[in-house]
Amino acid sequence: MTAEMTPRVVLVGPMGAGKTTVAGLLGDAWGLPVRDTDADIEAASGREISDIFVESGEEHFRDLEAAAVATAIAEHDGVLALGGGAVLRPETRDLLAGVPVVFLRVGLSDAVKRVGLGVGRPLLLGNVRARIKALLDERTPVYESVAAHVVDTDGRTPDEVAAEIQELLR
């Protein structure tokens, strides 16, 4: 066993970018386990993320998320998908240094179509389009700062996105 495990790839990006879907395709293609930190948080807390936001607040959720990401990066050597806001914490960005990170970039129009009305997405309460635009504007520079590669997802199938990532990481 190696002294240090690191994920084969970490996918970052906003909601609607396809991180969970593409992670599954990459895991299948490479024969590797797939892990999603949002699912880890829900499993550990026994609550859905939307309930954590409502009952405990965003700051508490971000604490849980930072811990889940740190654990996953330390323990997981497969494909890892991070929640859309995970990279907001400086300690998470530090952990991503030296790890193969791919930013799945999505434009406003495609993100809105994919997310729909934002049911179960607590950050999208109110005007969904305006909230997604604000999140994209705020977070895109952060995603770019941690990513070794940027893959555009607009107008592309998850299979096409996964194929590009496989080629980039060959």
Side-chain angles (χ1 to χ4, degrees):
M1 174 172 252
T2 58
E4 198 174 321
M5 279 205 293
T6 185
R8 174 78 169 88
V9 66
V10 177
L11 302 179
V12 300
M15 59 186 83
K19 298 178 299 289
T20 301
T21 302
V22 171
L25 293 169
L26 291 171
D28 289 347
W30 288 327
L32 291 173
V34 175
R35 192 159 171 177
D36 184 310
T37 55
D38 282 350
D40 287 354
I41 294 163
E42 290 182 343
S45 68
R47 299 188 288 171
E48 291 188 17
I49 288 170
S50 56
D51 293 336
I52 297 169
F53 264 81
V54 170
E55 297 163 8
S56 306
E58 182 176 0
E59 192 63 27
H60 177 70
F61 170 74
R62 296 295 172 206
D63 290 342
L64 296 174
E65 182 175 54
V69 171
T71 299
I73 288 173
E75 295 177 353
H76 186 67
D77 61 358
V79 179
L80 179 60
L82 301 189
V87 297
L88 298 178
R89 287 278 178 97
E91 61 268 30
T92 296
R93 294 193 299 271
D94 291 345
L95 290 172
L96 292 172
V99 175
V101 177
V102 175
F103 166 30
L104 299 185
R105 183 165 47 202
V106 62
L108 179 61
S109 179
D110 277 37
V112 170
K113 282 184 220 152
R114 294 175 190 172
V115 170
L117 295 177
V119 175
R121 296 191 186 259
L123 287 178
L124 295 185
L125 297 176
N127 181 332
V128 173
R129 186 177 181 85
R131 286 296 297 139
I132 291 176
K133 181 178 184 338
L135 289 170
L136 289 174
D137 290 348
E138 169 194 340
R139 294 177 179 177
T140 293
V142 183
Y143 295 133
E144 290 171 342
S145 76
V146 299
H149 303 284
V150 178
V151 175
D152 287 301
T153 67
D154 285 1
R156 301 174 76 192
T157 67
D159 287 308
E160 290 168 335
V161 172
E164 181 174 340
I165 293 168
Q166 288 177 267
E167 193 59 40
L168 286 168
L169 298 181
R170 188 159 294 189

